[in-house]
Amino acid sequence: MSLSQVEKEIEKLQKELLDCNQERKKEIESQIKKQEEYYQHLSPYDHVYLARKSTRPNIKDYINHLFDDFIELHGDRLAKDDGSIVGGIGLFNQQPVTIIGHLKGKTLEDNLKCNFGMSSPEGYRKAMRLMKQAEKFKRPIIAFVDTPGAYPGMEAEMHGIGEAIARNLLEMSLLKVPIITIVIGEGGSGGALALSVSDRLVMLENSVYSILSPEGFASILWKDQEGKRVAEAASLMKLTAKDLYERHIIDHIIDEDLKGATVESYEVYRQIKEYLNTNLKELQKLSTSQLINKRYEKYRKIGQVF
Amino acid sequence: MMEQLFKERKEKLHLFKSLRKKRENERKEVPEGLYTKCPKCKELILTSKLKKNMSVCPHCGNHLKITAYERLEMIYDQGKYKELYKSTQRVNPLEFPGYDEKLEFLQQKTGLNEAVVVASGKINGTKVITCVMDSRFLMGSMSSIVGDKITKAIEHATKRKYPLIIFTASGGARMQEGIYSLMQMTKTSSALARHHQAGLLYISYITHPTTGGVTASFASLGDIIIGEPQALIGFAGRRVIESTLKQKLPENFQTTEFMEEQGFVDLIVKRQEMRSTLIRILKMHGKGA
């Protein structure tokens, strides 16, 4: 049994609920309750399912609920404007900040515009341009990660997608302003990494962060093409927020509602606001060299052997 | 109980050492075969002749794969260098089933401790730190130890004001180390940022094949990026791209020549000119480079 099956089952029961007698109603309600117990024990693959759900808030919802007076800025000043990355400036508690992140659409039409959150080199270069701009005006950077990964396309390769990601990693490690990155859905491979070299890396409870999708993982390691071993791959990969927090890869987890975050999850927005508030204050107290050195140490110690 | 454990370990170590010795002897006395077939033009080449030609096919110019140690011998003065961070320590951060055994097996089979060899030595009298990835070890994939050795090498070069060369060859991420593999991209790139800030020279040298996370980190960050002829350099795999686009890609797609045309490789250098090119570049950057 997986969460997607459980949700279908619940949906079926709820439909039945609309048109039945009192006695049957009680029965169905208890059945629903029983099904809902599943949410207490989600498997890693269930988290992947929730992280990808189209009912989850996307970057635009977070911008609406966390910041005032957002002004979107476009383009990398080199080639084009990549719609899979949203960036701009806004106010957080009256303070100007730069906001950048992947955009995943909620409908097919939206997704065609933002390429399902898969960025091309131009997207990462646009992000870099806005981050440099933030540095110039001493604005903290708040980044949102929500991507299956960088776009595997011919043009992306020809325009140096590897170089674009690499450049972001190098430049972000030297940026003189605080960077807080929040993984809101999928954190897929290098495409996620290119926005997450940060002073604080935060994940939503049901978001995931991994080297590649569990499907890709199973296909590479076990030549599994039909997705038979995807759930097993998800368990081995240690990609949930809880796993990564325990391993000190991330700094904090934002709790979600029992059934995962939705656009109306005001408690999620409140927690993020509180976290940003406290941590921006903390980070802004540091000198520039302290800030950059701490950021270096944070990554230096991951998988440190020597 | 403990005594038994120690005894077992000793025996294992002994076996390992004898195996290693045997292999070293084999290397010296028995050539791998009198002839080697070029994987590209399929011509048979006298192995001794091929070695003399730096493992470049005399018929078609194909640059055959060489080991990290062969590469180091080719670039350093009199072929002499000191290997750094040689520990054979193994880590399995995700407790991935079967991974420890695989690493142990590969260490014995290849004589490498991981997919990268770090060395320090002189090239035309200039002290240079070099990292050479070796694709015989799990396709040169990026593990914690690979990331850590390269980071240590960069930090060492930064501290001592040495120029740095990294020869890349990698299939990408080390699946068995998951997120730890991914984070090595950040770690190595951050270390390079400091080497860069110190005004030091970093040459990235692309050899076949360089893909995935290595392309998206240190391979693409050289002040000067050199490519070996016809080496593969790319981020996503060819098959992945073809299945996304549902169309065939150009024949020379993702070769160093193709990427030179696109503006992402500075120059293509034949292996016979590798050392002399490095010398010419190093010269123009002064002693401390």
Side-chain angles (χ1 to χ4, degrees):
Chain A
M1 206 65 173
S2 70
L3 181 57
S4 63
Q5 289 165 311
V6 170
E7 288 197 342
K8 268 183 207 137
E9 204 59 44
I10 293 174
E11 206 179 310
K12 221 165 77 191
L13 289 168
Q14 274 167 342
K15 262 188 201 151
E16 209 182 314
L17 204 56
L18 297 174
D19 187 28
C20 65
N21 59 31
Q22 274 307 322
E23 209 175 306
R24 178 81 183 122
K25 195 176 166 189
K26 261 195 184 151
E27 207 177 297
I28 293 173
E29 274 171 350
S30 89
Q31 273 179 12
I32 290 180
K33 230 182 190 159
K34 202 151 180 233
Q35 290 281 354
E36 282 179 344
E37 278 171 22
Y38 185 90
Y39 283 101
Q40 307 288 352
H41 313 282
L42 297 180
S43 74
Y45 192 62
D46 294 329
H47 287 289
V48 175
Y49 165 78
L50 284 175
R52 290 173 177 170
K53 231 174 154 182
S54 62
T55 49
R56 265 180 104 69
N58 67 9
I59 182 171
K60 292 202 164 166
D61 298 309
Y62 289 100
I63 290 175
N64 282 339
H65 286 95
L66 302 175
F67 307 101
D68 297 317
D69 206 14
F70 177 69
I71 302 170
E72 189 173 351
L73 304 172
H74 294 273
D76 65 352
R77 295 288 193 274
L78 296 163
K80 70 169 192 186
D81 182 51
D82 183 342
S84 71
I85 299 244
V86 170
I89 49 180
L91 296 171
F92 177 74
N93 284 347
Q94 316 296 327
Q95 185 193 357
V97 293
T98 287
I99 304 143
I100 299 167
H102 303 101
L103 173 64
K104 259 198 203 173
K106 294 182 182 183
T107 62
L108 183 64
E109 202 189 342
D110 287 350
N111 267 322
L112 290 175
K113 279 186 209 147
C114 64
N115 201 22
F116 300 85
M118 292 185 286
S119 309
S120 292
E122 295 80 11
Y124 301 117
R125 289 182 186 130
K126 162 173 157 184
M128 195 68 248
R129 176 178 81 84
L130 296 176
M131 287 192 266
K132 286 277 189 190
Q133 188 191 67
E135 186 180 47
K136 175 177 174 183
F137 297 105
K138 302 190 173 56
R139 286 194 288 263
I141 297 162
I142 317 293
F144 295 90
V145 166
D146 194 8
T147 179
Y151 181 57
M154 182 168 78
E155 273 197 3
E157 292 288 322
M158 288 167 66
H159 297 167
I161 192 149
E163 192 274 345
I165 294 172
R167 188 65 52 198
N168 280 19
L169 303 182
L170 184 144
E171 297 286 356
M172 286 179 88
S173 79
L174 296 175
L175 280 179
K176 293 182 184 122
V177 291
I179 311 169
I180 299 181
T181 295
I182 307 167
V183 185
I184 54 176
E186 266 184 292
S189 86
L193 204 60
L195 295 188
S196 50
V197 182
S198 55
D199 303 299
R200 299 281 188 273
L201 183 55
V202 181
M203 282 175 77
L204 260 71
E205 188 184 345
N206 290 312
S207 67
V208 292
Y209 199 140
S210 59
I211 186 102
L212 83 172
S213 66
E215 288 82 1
F217 190 89
S219 138
I220 289 179
L221 271 183
W222 305 313
K223 312 256 178 293
D224 171 45
Q225 303 299 345
E226 289 123 50
K228 280 184 192 145
R229 298 180 73 177
V230 174
E232 183 188 346
S235 302
L236 281 171
M237 289 170 79
K238 308 279 187 290
L239 45 62
T240 66
K242 189 166 166 281
D243 279 326
L244 296 169
Y245 182 74
E246 280 167 6
R247 287 158 189 277
H248 309 289
I249 305 275
I250 63 164
D251 301 290
H252 185 71
I253 299 177
I254 304 284
D255 296 329
E256 294 184 29
D257 319 39
L258 181 70
K259 295 182 180 179
T262 64
V263 179
E264 280 90 36
S265 294
Y266 300 107
E267 179 53 23
V268 167
Y269 303 130
R270 190 201 59 76
Q271 285 177 74
I272 297 179
K273 263 190 181 169
E274 191 185 303
Y275 186 86
L276 288 179
N277 194 25
T278 322
N279 284 274
L280 281 178
K281 270 186 197 148
E282 241 174 62
L283 293 169
Q284 285 179 312
K285 270 186 211 148
L286 301 174
S287 71
T288 307
S289 63
Q290 278 174 329
L291 183 74
I292 293 174
N293 286 339
K294 280 188 179 218
R295 195 181 301 150
Y296 186 81
E297 284 309 317
K298 183 175 155 65
Y299 290 94
R300 182 69 187 87
K301 64 177 199 282
I302 298 180
Q304 185 163 11
V305 182
F306 292 102
Chain B
M1 168 76 184
M2 283 306 273
E3 227 175 67
Q4 181 63 24
L5 269 176
F6 275 120
K7 209 178 144 200
E8 273 177 28
R9 191 177 145 70
K10 215 173 165 183
E11 275 169 9
K12 249 192 182 168
L13 260 170
H14 186 73
L15 179 75
F16 175 53
K17 275 187 185 157
S18 66
L19 273 172
R20 195 174 191 171
K21 219 175 186 171
K22 207 172 140 201
R23 218 187 13 260
E24 272 169 9
N25 287 339
E26 274 173 7
R27 220 182 280 159
K28 278 172 203 146
E29 286 159 21
V30 198
E32 294 157 32
L34 208 50
Y35 286 93
T36 305
K37 196 179 192 177
C38 171
K40 203 171 170 198
C41 70
K42 316 282 180 215
E43 283 281 345
L44 284 177
I45 318 154
L46 204 59
T47 304
S48 57
K49 195 176 162 192
L50 182 67
K51 294 274 170 218
K52 242 181 235 156
N53 207 31
M54 306 179 104
S55 294
V56 176
C57 173
H59 302 284
C60 70
N62 179 27
H63 284 52
L64 278 79
K65 279 187 191 172
I66 52 174
T67 70
Y69 294 112
E70 285 174 314
R71 175 87 61 184
L72 288 166
E73 251 176 61
M74 287 175 190
I75 61 162
Y76 278 117
D77 295 349
Q78 291 94 42
K80 278 198 311 203
Y81 58 87
K82 191 176 145 211
E83 185 177 348
L84 307 175
Y85 325 126
K86 273 170 78 172
S87 147
T88 50
Q89 199 178 338
R90 294 184 286 268
V91 291
N92 185 0
L94 299 185
E95 294 105 39
F96 199 90
Y99 184 47
D100 293 289
E101 293 78 5
K102 195 165 201 164
L103 291 174
E104 192 178 356
F105 170 76
L106 277 168
Q107 286 186 340
Q108 297 195 7
K109 191 183 153 202
T110 61
L112 295 161
N113 67 349
E114 249 292 353
V116 67
V117 176
V118 178
S120 154
K122 286 182 174 170
I123 298 180
N124 197 31
T126 303
K127 189 86 178 249
V128 181
I129 303 293
T130 304
C131 307
V132 189
M133 301 188 80
D134 196 316
S135 60
R136 288 176 301 158
F137 202 99
L138 279 172
M139 277 303 291
S141 52
M142 181 103 96
S143 65
S144 305
I145 293 194
V146 168
D148 226 40
K149 280 176 86 169
I150 291 176
T151 305
K152 272 285 263 190
I154 301 168
E155 286 175 340
H156 179 62
T158 309
K159 200 172 153 204
R160 308 291 284 271
K161 301 207 179 314
Y162 294 147
L164 171 79
I165 309 172
I166 306 182
F167 289 88
T168 59
S170 176
R174 179 78 54 89
M175 292 301 142
Q176 295 88 340
E177 295 194 22
I179 196 80
Y180 288 86
S181 171
L182 188 70
M183 292 296 166
Q184 303 311 312
M185 293 166 63
T186 305
K187 195 160 103 181
T188 50
S189 302
S190 305
L192 278 175
R194 297 181 160 208
H195 188 260
H196 172 77
Q197 271 197 322
L200 300 165
L201 172 69
Y202 165 42
I203 300 173
S204 162
Y205 209 117
I206 314 288
T207 74
H208 185 75
T210 296
T211 64
V214 168
T215 300
S217 60
F218 50 85
S220 295
L221 294 171
D223 296 300
I224 295 177
I225 302 182
I226 302 178
E228 272 208 335
Q230 292 297 313
L232 176 81
I233 163 90
F235 179 65
R238 192 186 179 98
R239 266 183 307 157
V240 179
I241 302 170
E242 278 178 340
S243 72
T244 319
L245 300 173
K246 314 251 181 285
Q247 70 182 54
K248 276 256 172 257
L249 295 164
E251 185 74 6
N252 68 341
F253 185 65
Q254 289 184 328
T255 57
T256 41
E257 286 82 358
F258 181 82
M259 288 314 276
E260 184 190 36
E261 250 173 59
Q262 298 301 320
F264 291 94
V265 171
D266 282 295
L267 68 162
I268 311 284
V269 174
K270 289 189 188 121
R271 203 173 281 160
Q272 288 91 337
E273 285 152 24
M274 170 171 63
R275 184 173 137 87
S276 61
T277 307
L278 291 174
I279 289 175
R280 284 167 61 210
I281 294 173
L282 286 166
K283 243 186 200 165
M284 285 186 225
H285 291 81
K287 261 272 178 272

